[in-house]
Amino acid sequence: MTMLSMLTSLKRINIIKILGLTLGFCCLISMAGCSSKENKDEPNQPINKDVQSVSNEYKNIKVKTTSQTPIFKLTDGKLTEAGVFEANTYLDIADQDAVADVIPVQGTDWYVKQSDVANSERWFKNQTHLVPYALALTTNDTYRIEDSYGQLQANSSLADIYQVYVKPSSDDPRYGVLIQNGIYYIPESDVKEVMERAVEENQKELATEVPVMMYHFFYDESLGETRLDVNYVEVNELREQAEYLVNNGFTSLTMREIQYFMEDRAQVPAKSYGFTMDDGHESVYKYAYPILKEYGINATMFIIGGWMDPTLPYELWEMREEGIELQSHSFLMHQGGCSGMGHGGRLMCVGYDDGVADTIQSYEYVDGGFVYCYPFGDVNENAITIMKDSGTKLAFTTEFGKIHPGMDVLRLPRIRVTGGAGMNQYINHLN
């Protein structure tokens, strides 16, 4: 049983309750090279052009809108309203001068009033590794911007052009576009036209398949610890692997990026990979997390929700802020109960209603999960049916192999990383 839950303090639990756990909208921008047109029905508002300093409490931090908040653009010394942010939207504030009472949203030509935002106490970074298509869309004069879960983040009142990063599907009729280095979504109904447009950066070589590496536990020989079985990776082994990945141009994908790649809705760079860790063992926070953070590697922890505290431990919340995703390893299915059926993962024989309820509960525990790791790697048609009806987008087994579009997304293989196997084996599995 994991011991991460034992690390949680009451003070940290209270911090989490105050802050909330839903990753929100980071920062909105008009894309480089995009054209916008003013809404002529709304007059520009002249402002005092005297430059003021942004209050130190807002510089280089992530703020949150306190209510519906107007978006402004500054043109010829006048402010023009360009739309509205929804309440509780996260924004990164630039470390630069303010103009009058409005402050600049980082990397954009958009401003918000200082009085409309508050320090969020969050620090997660928005990012994307997707390669854009040679397509651009033109929005309607007004359009919505949503997050990956379909939650409204902003309404824009000025038409714009965006490069396309994610194509729509029948299940998700939205285009994914780059907004402050993250992917946000414009409904297909808000798009006026899609046209060919060259990608400004040099076109990258694209991946046709992706290895998803499977880890479990970690240990440190310098502290007298030893490998209990092949699932234990020594901390210096992990560091050597991380150095190889970073120094040789490998890209660690998020699970959402893997989902879109598998659905053939997005392009990822050659030498992309996934990094997963099963069970939520305490050694992840103690040994793996510092290395992953140091090398900037995205990773996914598959959590057994029923083995954790009722309130998500602070250590897991902290790791998530630094780019380690939390996804499901079931809530209470990682135990015996299916005699004679593989390892006995209960999902193989549990009743439909109980299986769906357990899976949904596990997704709620990690606050918006959509990826599943089968307990013990066991899967059959009963488990597949439960996955389909629980909102699961990807489900991983322990079968060996790389993933590619066209595979059954609910029976995906991975590559087990075995402790002590050496770098040659690791490199061969990656390539």
Side-chain angles (χ1 to χ4, degrees):
M1 178 173 176
T2 179
M3 297 180 64
L4 269 174
S5 57
M6 299 180 185
L7 302 174
T8 308
S9 68
L10 290 174
K11 179 179 179 181
R12 286 171 167 176
I13 289 176
N14 288 334
I15 290 173
I16 293 171
K17 289 179 179 178
I18 293 170
L19 297 180
L21 296 172
T22 303
L23 289 180
F25 185 74
C26 277
C27 197
L28 292 171
I29 63 170
S30 297
M31 296 294 295
C34 297
S35 61
S36 302
K37 67 178 184 179
E38 294 183 358
N39 186 339
K40 299 301 183 181
D41 295 331
E42 296 188 12
N44 289 343
Q45 303 174 33
I47 64 168
N48 184 343
K49 292 181 63 176
D50 292 341
V51 173
Q52 301 178 359
S53 295
V54 179
S55 172
N56 285 335
E57 65 177 315
Y58 289 127
K59 281 189 176 182
N60 279 331
I61 66 167
K62 196 176 298 295
V63 301
K64 185 166 66 173
T65 57
T66 55
S67 60
Q68 277 200 337
T69 300
I71 303 168
F72 296 100
K73 286 188 177 182
L74 181 63
T75 306
D76 297 329
K78 297 179 180 179
L79 285 177
T80 299
E81 286 200 30
V84 61
F85 291 117
E86 289 298 297
N88 300 315
T89 296
Y90 291 102
L91 303 171
D92 291 324
I93 301 304
D95 184 10
Q96 64 188 63
D97 290 328
V99 178
D101 64 341
V102 294
I103 53 178
V105 178
Q106 191 174 74
T108 77
D109 61 351
W110 290 11
Y111 293 79
V112 293
K113 291 183 178 180
Q114 296 190 57
S115 58
D116 288 340
V117 299
N119 191 330
S120 72
E121 306 289 348
R122 302 292 297 273
W123 68 88
F124 65 88
K125 295 180 181 178
N126 218 3
Q127 59 183 325
T128 187
H129 308 101
L130 300 181
V131 178
Y133 289 101
L135 296 172
L137 63 83
T138 303
T139 69
N140 296 333
D141 289 347
T142 60
Y143 62 95
R144 293 166 53 94
I145 298 175
E146 302 172 347
D147 67 11
S148 60
Y149 295 100
Q151 297 174 332
L152 179 64
Q153 302 297 303
N155 276 301
S156 176
S157 57
L158 299 175
D160 276 302
I161 299 174
Y162 293 91
Q163 200 86 31
V164 174
Y165 281 74
V166 180
K167 294 180 178 179
S169 69
S170 57
D171 294 333
D172 185 8
R174 302 180 301 167
Y175 286 93
V177 299
L178 186 67
I179 298 178
Q180 183 68 23
N181 200 37
I183 300 300
Y184 290 90
Y185 303 84
I186 299 174
E188 203 169 14
S189 58
D190 288 349
V191 173
K192 182 178 182 180
E193 183 182 13
V194 178
M195 67 206 84
E196 291 186 4
R197 188 173 85 166
V199 179
E200 292 183 4
E201 61 184 72
N202 293 331
Q203 186 66 35
K204 297 179 180 178
E205 185 179 352
L206 303 176
T208 57
E209 60 180 8
V210 170
V212 178
M213 314 306 281
M214 175 177 61
Y215 293 81
H216 285 79
F217 318 120
F218 305 90
Y219 71 103
D220 188 345
E221 287 183 346
S222 71
L223 299 179
E225 299 172 347
T226 58
R227 180 183 299 117
L228 300 183
D229 58 42
V230 296
N231 287 322
Y232 281 77
V233 174
E234 209 275 331
V235 65
N236 289 308
E237 288 183 276
L238 178 61
R239 180 173 293 280
E240 186 177 11
Q241 293 164 1
E243 287 180 352
Y244 177 83
L245 292 165
V246 172
N247 293 339
N248 288 275
F250 283 83
T251 300
S252 54
L253 300 178
T254 68
M255 280 296 157
R256 192 66 77 180
E257 291 168 340
I258 290 175
Q259 175 197 341
Y260 294 150
F261 169 72
M262 292 301 294
E263 294 173 348
D264 207 19
R265 297 177 59 196
Q267 305 176 128
V268 300
K271 302 173 75 172
S272 291
Y273 68 99
F275 192 114
T276 66
M277 300 171 289
D278 293 8
D279 299 337
H281 192 259
E282 63 176 350
S283 62
V284 172
Y285 183 77
K286 187 175 182 180
Y287 296 127
Y289 167 54
I291 293 174
L292 297 173
K293 179 180 176 180
E294 177 183 349
Y295 287 92
I297 293 174
N298 297 290
T300 297
M301 285 184 70
F302 288 117
I303 302 299
I304 305 167
W307 291 10
M308 299 290 173
D309 282 354
T311 300
L312 191 73
Y314 175 83
E315 286 73 19
L316 295 182
W317 185 87
E318 177 189 345
M319 286 191 284
R320 184 166 62 183
E321 291 289 286
E322 296 289 351
I324 297 179
E325 294 182 61
L326 307 180
Q327 296 289 352
S328 172
H329 203 16
S330 84
F331 197 79
L332 280 175
M333 294 291 112
H334 203 292
Q335 54 183 299
C338 296
S339 178
M341 301 177 69
H343 295 84
R346 290 187 62 223
L347 200 69
M348 297 178 69
C349 59
V350 72
Y352 171 83
D353 289 340
D354 289 342
V356 170
D358 184 274
T359 305
I360 291 174
Q361 187 176 11
S362 72
Y363 288 153
E364 291 174 346
Y365 183 79
V366 299
D367 192 31
F370 60 95
V371 183
Y372 197 87
C373 173
Y374 293 109
F376 307 108
D378 292 339
V379 56
N380 61 5
E381 289 306 316
N382 188 63
I384 293 293
T385 299
I386 290 170
M387 290 298 102
K388 288 179 178 178
D389 294 343
S390 302
T392 303
K393 300 299 183 183
L394 303 170
F396 288 93
T397 70
T398 56
E399 296 177 8
F400 183 88
K402 297 180 180 180
I403 64 173
H404 59 79
M407 277 185 168
D408 184 346
V409 295
L410 300 182
R411 291 179 181 265
L412 295 175
R414 289 182 291 170
I415 296 173
R416 185 185 297 270
V417 179
T418 55
M423 281 302 297
N424 286 339
Q425 182 186 94
Y426 191 82
I427 292 169
N428 288 337
H429 286 164
L430 277 172
N431 296 303

